[in-house]
Amino acid sequence: MTSNEGEATAGRPVNQAARLSDFQRERKRLIRLAYRMLSSFSEAEDVVQDAWFRWEQVDGRVDSPAAYLTRVVTRLCLDRLKSARARRELYIGPWLPDPMMESGNPEETIADDITVTLMLAMERLSPLERAAFLLHDVFDTPLNEVAVTLNRKPAAVRQLASRARKHVQAARPRFNVEAAEARRITQAFFDASRDGDTAALASLLAQDVEIHSDGGGKVLAFRNIIRGLDRALRLFAGLRRKNAPTPRLLHTAEIDGLPGYVSIDRGVAQTTALDIRDGKITAIYIVRNPEKLQHLTRDMIDGATSASGAGETSPQ
């Protein structure tokens, strides 16, 4: 490996303040990469913390901190992916990635054009395919650096990325929705689902709509993916007939690149992301598992669950 690929150069003095500065400059990108690899914020933070420990102990100067840290984080993620997949095979109900909520501040946002739909498609890739696709296609890492990171020849990495691209191409396109239209549909969907208004819902949902609800066995959630307009309408009508507390909208947000919102529903905080295509909602992604919402700031939830019986369990 050459120094241009991020190798430490032994015998050169190390400025610890500069090393900390280099790490802090890369930290948000590294968390984003680890999250896209693992679909978990808690695991992404653990990986980046491990990367810091290794970075702190490097002997000598590193000519390219960004490349070096990218390599360390990617390899740590690859080590974790096998156990993560084994856990998901035992997961109760539909599994969804931790919701990523954009801050709205362009300086804090890294536009990588990945939605929850694409993240679910990436779950079908091998760990190496996922790493090659993310590094090369999403994070714009040069092919030779990806090859060094994955310990593969550039030609092999090109094949890995190409296979991954073909597997996820159906989920890759973003169906651009004007911000005002996205807000209108999101608000209309929340109002209609809150009220059990099947006529309004029928005008908003696509015929082949899917509802994914992730409770992880910890709170009430649908045990299976709900597919089709008729089943979706019966579900929303049934929920409102059960005399459950009226859902409360906390605020709207962009969640993993899709319009959505944070709310309190049946006593539990949840995020809802809507995949909108040609003016219709084709997929609804609801995350209710409290472990997957821990990274959200407390003022986002505003203590609203405490008075609503958030301890509800036994998923339906």
Side-chain angles (χ1 to χ4, degrees):
M1 178 186 295
T2 68
S3 60
N4 289 334
E5 293 162 338
E7 185 64 56
T9 306
R12 296 186 181 178
V14 178
N15 184 322
Q16 291 298 333
R19 177 156 291 174
L20 175 60
S21 177
D22 287 338
F23 184 83
Q24 294 287 31
R25 186 167 52 250
E26 297 296 327
R27 187 176 184 279
K28 287 181 181 178
R29 183 183 63 85
L30 296 173
I31 290 219
R32 191 83 173 215
L33 171 60
Y35 165 69
R36 292 307 190 194
M37 283 287 292
L38 301 170
S39 300
S40 165
F41 268 104
S42 61
E43 288 200 73
E45 288 172 345
D46 288 346
V47 160
V48 173
Q49 186 65 29
D50 287 346
W52 162 250
F53 292 144
R54 296 180 185 220
W55 175 244
E56 196 177 26
Q57 295 166 14
V58 170
D59 181 19
R61 185 172 68 84
V62 176
D63 289 341
S64 177
Y68 186 94
L69 288 166
T70 296
R71 185 179 65 195
V72 171
V73 165
T74 301
R75 290 179 176 178
L76 288 170
C77 287
L78 289 172
D79 290 342
R80 287 180 176 240
L81 275 176
K82 288 184 180 179
S83 60
R85 292 193 170 197
R87 289 195 303 273
R88 285 168 201 169
E89 289 177 1
L90 303 175
Y91 199 78
I92 297 174
W95 175 91
L96 290 173
D98 293 6
M100 172 181 280
M101 193 171 305
E102 301 296 358
S103 68
N105 182 349
E107 294 182 358
E108 297 180 3
T109 299
I110 302 174
D112 56 21
D113 200 33
I114 291 185
T115 66
V116 61
T117 309
L118 181 56
M119 290 190 72
L120 290 173
M122 287 195 298
E123 288 296 309
R124 298 193 292 269
L125 303 177
S126 73
L128 285 176
E129 286 173 340
R130 184 166 184 156
F133 174 74
L134 284 170
L135 290 172
H136 186 258
D137 286 35
V138 177
F139 286 83
D140 295 323
T141 306
L143 190 66
N144 66 316
E145 289 186 20
V146 181
V148 171
T149 297
L150 301 184
N151 197 25
R152 296 290 189 279
K153 294 182 178 180
V157 170
R158 189 179 293 107
Q159 289 182 343
L160 285 169
S162 176
R163 284 202 302 268
R165 211 174 293 123
K166 290 176 182 176
H167 287 153
V168 303
Q169 61 186 357
R172 182 64 170 170
R174 287 286 298 273
F175 290 79
N176 292 324
V177 183
E178 293 293 333
E181 178 70 355
R183 286 194 297 269
R184 182 193 70 79
I185 293 175
T186 299
Q187 185 66 56
F189 171 76
F190 174 80
D191 292 343
S193 59
R194 175 197 60 200
D195 300 337
D197 186 341
T198 54
L201 286 167
S203 70
L204 293 167
L205 303 180
Q207 283 291 330
D208 57 351
V209 65
E210 293 187 352
I211 304 174
H212 302 244
S213 180
D214 180 340
K218 296 172 173 54
V219 296
L220 282 168
F222 314 128
R223 283 292 187 94
N224 299 295
I225 298 172
I226 308 300
R227 292 184 169 91
L229 179 59
D230 290 341
R231 292 188 67 197
L233 294 178
R234 289 197 300 270
L235 180 147
F236 285 115
L239 287 176
R240 300 288 73 87
R241 284 197 300 266
K242 291 181 178 180
N243 297 318
T246 302
R248 180 149 62 94
L249 180 66
L250 299 183
H251 62 86
T252 58
E254 184 173 286
I255 300 170
D256 272 311
L258 299 178
Y261 55 85
V262 184
S263 64
I264 303 296
D265 196 333
R266 289 167 286 163
V268 177
Q270 67 177 47
T271 61
T272 301
L274 306 175
D275 194 351
I276 301 171
R277 308 187 184 200
D278 297 324
K280 296 284 188 179
I281 299 171
T282 60
I284 302 165
Y285 302 103
I286 303 169
V287 176
R288 292 170 58 79
N289 184 342
E291 292 182 356
K292 296 189 174 187
L293 302 175
Q294 290 178 355
H295 63 284
L296 301 181
T297 58
R298 295 314 306 162
D299 59 338
M300 203 172 283
I301 305 302
D302 197 28
T305 59
S306 60
S308 308
E312 184 178 18
T313 56
S314 305
Q316 59 191 23

